[in-house]
Amino acid sequence: MNLSLENKVALVTGASRGIGQAIAMALAQAGADVVIASRKMADLEKVEVEIRNMGRKCLPVATHVGKTEEIKNLVDNLMEEFGRIDILVNNAATNPSMASAIDVDERAWDSIMNLNLKGLFFLSQATARIMKEKGGGRIINVASIAGITPDILPVYSISKAAVIMATKVMAQQWAIFNIRVNAIAPGLTKTKFSEALWKNQDILNIAMSRTPLGRPAEPEEMVGAVIYLASDASSYVTGQIIAIDGGMTI
Ligand SMILES: NC(=O)c1ccc[n+]([C@@H]2O[C@H](COP(=O)([O-])OP(=O)(O)OC[C@H]3O[C@@H](n4cnc5c(N)ncnc54)[C@H](OP(=O)(O)O)[C@@H]3O)[C@@H](O)[C@H]2O)c1
């Protein structure tokens, strides 16, 4: 079994904090050089320092992944610096609205779908075109258990269900190019994104009553599956969704 990512180039979106930061650091620890993207450069630069301290190359690129022209700029920068990409982790996502399905508005729908689904798809397409030319690659999407069973965030759940189908479609169509595409589906994880949930004792109690392991995850608990899916250890695995949820979806 080979978990090494020596001499690989990886791109992680939403890498300035939370799950994306943990994934970027773990990819570097496994030997990869890492391109990190999110909107705020100042936050990316802190992660860049940590990755460079591990002896790996790191390129931060300020990018709104919901905007097609910024995706192009990201890929252009990556190609100028490294000339190829082996691993893409589509991690950036948003949920600006807690409104129920009867109330949610079009603006929230567009901002969720533009980043969580459209940005994920077209960044995957742009990198897959490069991977195809270079002989292959791996794409790992960060979905959510909210895409498997609906939760209190309706449009977010719909977007993550679509991420799961996008994973299967890309895996089926790009296997011929030696590109494997898989996803992880985290359960409740202690990040800024979800703090309104895990810092609210009532919501936390309800969530944990449905979670056999009885606690929310730490961001670092997401990385083992990502390293597995990014490495040759998973060479016959594609189109799969790995739930990392303390057993919640049982
Ligand atoms: N935390 C959970 O409980 C949980 C559960 C299931 C799934 N997930 C999924 O895990 C992934 C990471 O979430 P997280 O909890 O780690 O969130 P987080 O701590 O809030 O981090 C989100 C990251 O995405 C970046 N980002 C936000 N909007 C962006 C945009 N438009 N373009 C580019 N980057 C953007 C943020 O940086 P900037 O703000 O600087 O752009 C940040 O780096 C998401 O796909 C989320 O849906 C999380």
Side-chain angles (χ1 to χ4, degrees), residues 4 22 32 48 68 97 107 121 129 149 154 160 164 174 178 181 184 192 201 203-204 217 227 230 240:
S4 169
E48 179 193 11
T68 313
S97 169
R107 190 184 155 92
F121 181 81
R129 287 173 176 169
T149 52
K160 291 296 186 175
I164 288 171
W174 297 345
N178 192 30
V181 188
I184 62 166
K192 188 174 177 215
Q201 200 56 48
I203 295 177
L204 183 65
I227 298 300
Q240 300 306 304

mmCIF file of all heavy atoms in Angstrom, residues 4 22 32 48 68 97 107 121 129 149 154 160 164 174 178 181 184 192 201 203-204 217 227 230 240:
data_model
loop_
_atom_site.group_PDB
_atom_site.id
_atom_site.type_symbol
_atom_site.label_atom_id
_atom_site.label_comp_id
_atom_site.label_asym_id
_atom_site.label_seq_id
_atom_site.Cartn_x
_atom_site.Cartn_y
_atom_site.Cartn_z
ATOM 1 N N SER A 4 2.118 7.569 -0.171
ATOM 2 C CA SER A 4 2.985 8.726 -0.408
ATOM 3 C C SER A 4 2.444 9.606 -1.529
ATOM 4 O O SER A 4 1.933 9.116 -2.535
ATOM 5 C CB SER A 4 4.388 8.252 -0.783
ATOM 6 O OG SER A 4 5.136 9.360 -1.244
ATOM 7 N N ALA A 22 -6.915 21.719 7.092
ATOM 8 C CA ALA A 22 -6.428 20.411 7.585
ATOM 9 C C ALA A 22 -6.026 19.515 6.407
ATOM 10 O O ALA A 22 -4.994 18.828 6.460
ATOM 11 C CB ALA A 22 -7.510 19.743 8.437
ATOM 12 N N ALA A 32 3.162 16.235 -0.944
ATOM 13 C CA ALA A 32 2.736 17.017 -2.116
ATOM 14 C C ALA A 32 3.102 18.498 -1.969
ATOM 15 O O ALA A 32 3.167 19.025 -0.856
ATOM 16 C CB ALA A 32 1.220 16.881 -2.290
ATOM 17 N N GLU A 48 0.158 29.170 4.106
ATOM 18 C CA GLU A 48 1.346 29.050 3.242
ATOM 19 C C GLU A 48 2.612 28.904 4.098
ATOM 20 O O GLU A 48 3.460 28.037 3.823
ATOM 21 C CB GLU A 48 1.462 30.295 2.346
ATOM 22 C CG GLU A 48 2.685 30.258 1.447
ATOM 23 C CD GLU A 48 2.977 31.613 0.784
ATOM 24 O OE1 GLU A 48 2.377 32.628 1.169
ATOM 25 O OE2 GLU A 48 3.832 31.621 -0.117
ATOM 26 N N THR A 68 -16.435 32.174 -12.591
ATOM 27 C CA THR A 68 -15.718 31.430 -13.633
ATOM 28 C C THR A 68 -14.399 32.091 -14.020
ATOM 29 O O THR A 68 -13.394 31.413 -14.222
ATOM 30 C CB THR A 68 -16.629 31.295 -14.881
ATOM 31 O OG1 THR A 68 -17.918 30.868 -14.434
ATOM 32 C CG2 THR A 68 -16.098 30.268 -15.848
ATOM 33 N N SER A 97 -27.666 31.196 4.202
ATOM 34 C CA SER A 97 -29.057 31.345 4.649
ATOM 35 C C SER A 97 -29.507 30.158 5.492
ATOM 36 O O SER A 97 -29.279 29.012 5.139
ATOM 37 C CB SER A 97 -29.970 31.462 3.419
ATOM 38 O OG SER A 97 -31.313 31.352 3.816
ATOM 39 N N ARG A 107 -31.517 34.832 -4.291
ATOM 40 C CA ARG A 107 -30.139 35.298 -4.082
ATOM 41 C C ARG A 107 -29.327 34.249 -3.318
ATOM 42 O O ARG A 107 -28.189 33.939 -3.671
ATOM 43 C CB ARG A 107 -30.209 36.618 -3.288
ATOM 44 C CG ARG A 107 -28.918 37.373 -3.188
ATOM 45 C CD ARG A 107 -29.179 38.603 -2.286
ATOM 46 N NE ARG A 107 -27.953 39.047 -1.656
ATOM 47 C CZ ARG A 107 -27.157 39.958 -2.167
ATOM 48 N NH1 ARG A 107 -27.458 40.522 -3.308
ATOM 49 N NH2 ARG A 107 -26.052 40.303 -1.536
ATOM 50 N N PHE A 121 -17.920 22.126 -10.352
ATOM 51 C CA PHE A 121 -17.935 21.411 -11.633
ATOM 52 C C PHE A 121 -16.936 22.015 -12.615
ATOM 53 O O PHE A 121 -16.140 21.298 -13.243
ATOM 54 C CB PHE A 121 -19.341 21.402 -12.259
ATOM 55 C CG PHE A 121 -19.352 20.636 -13.551
ATOM 56 C CD1 PHE A 121 -19.427 19.251 -13.541
ATOM 57 C CD2 PHE A 121 -19.205 21.280 -14.767
ATOM 58 C CE1 PHE A 121 -19.380 18.519 -14.734
ATOM 59 C CE2 PHE A 121 -19.151 20.561 -15.958
ATOM 60 C CZ PHE A 121 -19.238 19.179 -15.938
ATOM 61 N N ARG A 129 -9.089 18.616 -17.789
ATOM 62 C CA ARG A 129 -8.516 18.780 -19.139
ATOM 63 C C ARG A 129 -6.989 18.711 -19.078
ATOM 64 O O ARG A 129 -6.342 18.163 -19.977
ATOM 65 C CB ARG A 129 -8.983 20.109 -19.748
ATOM 66 C CG ARG A 129 -10.452 20.058 -20.158
ATOM 67 C CD ARG A 129 -10.970 21.406 -20.604
ATOM 68 N NE ARG A 129 -12.353 21.298 -21.068
ATOM 69 C CZ ARG A 129 -13.140 22.330 -21.316
ATOM 70 N NH1 ARG A 129 -12.704 23.563 -21.151
ATOM 71 N NH2 ARG A 129 -14.376 22.135 -21.733
ATOM 72 N N THR A 149 -29.064 12.716 3.486
ATOM 73 C CA THR A 149 -30.392 12.895 4.092
ATOM 74 C C THR A 149 -30.596 14.400 4.317
ATOM 75 O O THR A 149 -29.648 15.089 4.707
ATOM 76 C CB THR A 149 -30.499 12.177 5.454
ATOM 77 O OG1 THR A 149 -29.398 12.574 6.271
ATOM 78 C CG2 THR A 149 -30.478 10.680 5.300
ATOM 79 N N PRO A 154 -31.920 23.754 3.602
ATOM 80 C CA PRO A 154 -32.519 23.080 2.441
ATOM 81 C C PRO A 154 -31.727 23.202 1.139
ATOM 82 O O PRO A 154 -31.473 22.199 0.472
ATOM 83 C CB PRO A 154 -33.900 23.748 2.300
ATOM 84 C CG PRO A 154 -33.820 25.006 3.085
ATOM 85 C CD PRO A 154 -32.817 24.786 4.175
ATOM 86 N N LYS A 160 -25.447 19.713 -2.053
ATOM 87 C CA LYS A 160 -24.526 18.618 -1.707
ATOM 88 C C LYS A 160 -24.997 17.287 -2.314
ATOM 89 O O LYS A 160 -24.172 16.432 -2.646
ATOM 90 C CB LYS A 160 -24.365 18.517 -0.191
ATOM 91 C CG LYS A 160 -23.615 19.705 0.421
ATOM 92 C CD LYS A 160 -22.170 19.789 -0.071
ATOM 93 C CE LYS A 160 -21.382 20.881 0.640
ATOM 94 N NZ LYS A 160 -19.956 20.898 0.257
ATOM 95 N N ILE A 164 -22.741 14.949 -4.915
ATOM 96 C CA ILE A 164 -22.607 13.486 -4.915
ATOM 97 C C ILE A 164 -22.847 12.939 -6.326
ATOM 98 O O ILE A 164 -22.090 12.092 -6.814
ATOM 99 C CB ILE A 164 -23.565 12.875 -3.862
ATOM 100 C CG1 ILE A 164 -23.022 13.181 -2.456
ATOM 101 C CG2 ILE A 164 -23.741 11.367 -4.084
ATOM 102 C CD1 ILE A 164 -23.946 12.838 -1.310
ATOM 103 N N TRP A 174 -14.694 10.208 -16.766
ATOM 104 C CA TRP A 174 -13.279 10.553 -16.836
ATOM 105 C C TRP A 174 -12.364 9.387 -16.471
ATOM 106 O O TRP A 174 -11.130 9.535 -16.508
ATOM 107 C CB TRP A 174 -12.978 11.782 -15.971
ATOM 108 C CG TRP A 174 -13.712 13.011 -16.446
ATOM 109 C CD1 TRP A 174 -14.325 13.179 -17.654
ATOM 110 C CD2 TRP A 174 -13.918 14.241 -15.729
ATOM 111 N NE1 TRP A 174 -14.900 14.429 -17.733
ATOM 112 C CE2 TRP A 174 -14.667 15.107 -16.571
ATOM 113 C CE3 TRP A 174 -13.554 14.697 -14.462
ATOM 114 C CZ2 TRP A 174 -15.054 16.395 -16.181
ATOM 115 C CZ3 TRP A 174 -13.922 15.988 -14.079
ATOM 116 C CH2 TRP A 174 -14.667 16.817 -14.933
ATOM 117 N N ASN A 178 -7.921 8.097 -16.971
ATOM 118 C CA ASN A 178 -7.183 7.740 -15.755
ATOM 119 C C ASN A 178 -7.361 8.786 -14.646
ATOM 120 O O ASN A 178 -6.455 9.057 -13.873
ATOM 121 C CB ASN A 178 -5.693 7.533 -16.071
ATOM 122 C CG ASN A 178 -4.952 6.883 -14.917
ATOM 123 O OD1 ASN A 178 -5.533 6.116 -14.150
ATOM 124 N ND2 ASN A 178 -3.680 7.223 -14.757
ATOM 125 N N VAL A 181 -12.434 9.921 -9.393
ATOM 126 C CA VAL A 181 -13.188 10.985 -8.715
ATOM 127 C C VAL A 181 -13.992 10.366 -7.578
ATOM 128 O O VAL A 181 -14.797 9.445 -7.803
ATOM 129 C CB VAL A 181 -14.144 11.715 -9.689
ATOM 130 C CG1 VAL A 181 -14.753 12.936 -9.020
ATOM 131 C CG2 VAL A 181 -13.423 12.108 -10.976
ATOM 132 N N ILE A 184 -15.793 12.751 0.007
ATOM 133 C CA ILE A 184 -16.060 12.472 1.415
ATOM 134 C C ILE A 184 -17.332 13.233 1.786
ATOM 135 O O ILE A 184 -17.636 14.277 1.208
ATOM 136 C CB ILE A 184 -14.894 12.865 2.352
ATOM 137 C CG1 ILE A 184 -14.600 14.371 2.309
ATOM 138 C CG2 ILE A 184 -13.647 12.051 2.027
ATOM 139 C CD1 ILE A 184 -13.693 14.855 3.447
ATOM 140 N N LYS A 192 -15.627 27.026 11.693
ATOM 141 C CA LYS A 192 -16.364 28.295 11.704
ATOM 142 C C LYS A 192 -17.705 28.155 10.976
ATOM 143 O O LYS A 192 -18.732 28.685 11.404
ATOM 144 C CB LYS A 192 -15.503 29.373 11.031
ATOM 145 C CG LYS A 192 -16.068 30.756 11.140
ATOM 146 C CD LYS A 192 -15.126 31.807 10.591
ATOM 147 C CE LYS A 192 -15.792 33.168 10.675
ATOM 148 N NZ LYS A 192 -15.447 34.029 9.558
ATOM 149 N N GLN A 201 -26.252 24.498 22.313
ATOM 150 C CA GLN A 201 -26.345 23.236 23.060
ATOM 151 C C GLN A 201 -27.576 22.419 22.673
ATOM 152 O O GLN A 201 -27.505 21.188 22.584
ATOM 153 C CB GLN A 201 -26.336 23.523 24.573
ATOM 154 C CG GLN A 201 -25.949 22.324 25.438
ATOM 155 C CD GLN A 201 -24.580 21.703 25.086
ATOM 156 O OE1 GLN A 201 -23.594 22.405 24.944
ATOM 157 N NE2 GLN A 201 -24.534 20.371 24.920
ATOM 158 N N ILE A 203 -29.202 22.357 19.690
ATOM 159 C CA ILE A 203 -28.986 21.733 18.375
ATOM 160 C C ILE A 203 -27.945 20.622 18.495
ATOM 161 O O ILE A 203 -28.096 19.534 17.923
ATOM 162 C CB ILE A 203 -28.544 22.793 17.326
ATOM 163 C CG1 ILE A 203 -29.666 23.795 17.094
ATOM 164 C CG2 ILE A 203 -28.129 22.120 16.020
ATOM 165 C CD1 ILE A 203 -29.317 24.928 16.147
ATOM 166 N N LEU A 204 -26.876 20.904 19.264
ATOM 167 C CA LEU A 204 -25.822 19.896 19.433
ATOM 168 C C LEU A 204 -26.389 18.618 20.062
ATOM 169 O O LEU A 204 -26.096 17.504 19.613
ATOM 170 C CB LEU A 204 -24.680 20.461 20.300
ATOM 171 C CG LEU A 204 -23.483 19.529 20.504
ATOM 172 C CD1 LEU A 204 -22.769 19.266 19.179
ATOM 173 C CD2 LEU A 204 -22.496 20.127 21.510
ATOM 174 N N ALA A 217 -17.031 15.978 14.935
ATOM 175 C CA ALA A 217 -15.664 15.672 14.482
ATOM 176 C C ALA A 217 -14.769 16.898 14.599
ATOM 177 O O ALA A 217 -15.241 18.035 14.599
ATOM 178 C CB ALA A 217 -15.701 15.217 13.024
ATOM 179 N N ILE A 227 -6.326 11.439 2.101
ATOM 180 C CA ILE A 227 -4.995 10.925 1.715
ATOM 181 C C ILE A 227 -5.161 9.563 1.024
ATOM 182 O O ILE A 227 -4.523 9.284 0.008
ATOM 183 C CB ILE A 227 -4.065 10.816 2.946
ATOM 184 C CG1 ILE A 227 -3.843 12.195 3.570
ATOM 185 C CG2 ILE A 227 -2.735 10.164 2.558
ATOM 186 C CD1 ILE A 227 -3.220 13.224 2.661
ATOM 187 N N ALA A 230 -6.470 10.215 -2.424
ATOM 188 C CA ALA A 230 -5.503 10.934 -3.270
ATOM 189 C C ALA A 230 -4.324 10.057 -3.667
ATOM 190 O O ALA A 230 -3.599 10.379 -4.605
ATOM 191 C CB ALA A 230 -4.989 12.171 -2.528
ATOM 192 N N GLN A 240 -17.001 6.881 -5.498
ATOM 193 C CA GLN A 240 -17.509 6.507 -4.170
ATOM 194 C C GLN A 240 -17.646 7.713 -3.240
ATOM 195 O O GLN A 240 -16.933 8.706 -3.387
ATOM 196 C CB GLN A 240 -16.585 5.463 -3.534
ATOM 197 C CG GLN A 240 -16.483 4.194 -4.357
ATOM 198 C CD GLN A 240 -17.859 3.599 -4.662
ATOM 199 O OE1 GLN A 240 -18.634 3.325 -3.750
ATOM 200 N NE2 GLN A 240 -18.164 3.421 -5.943
#
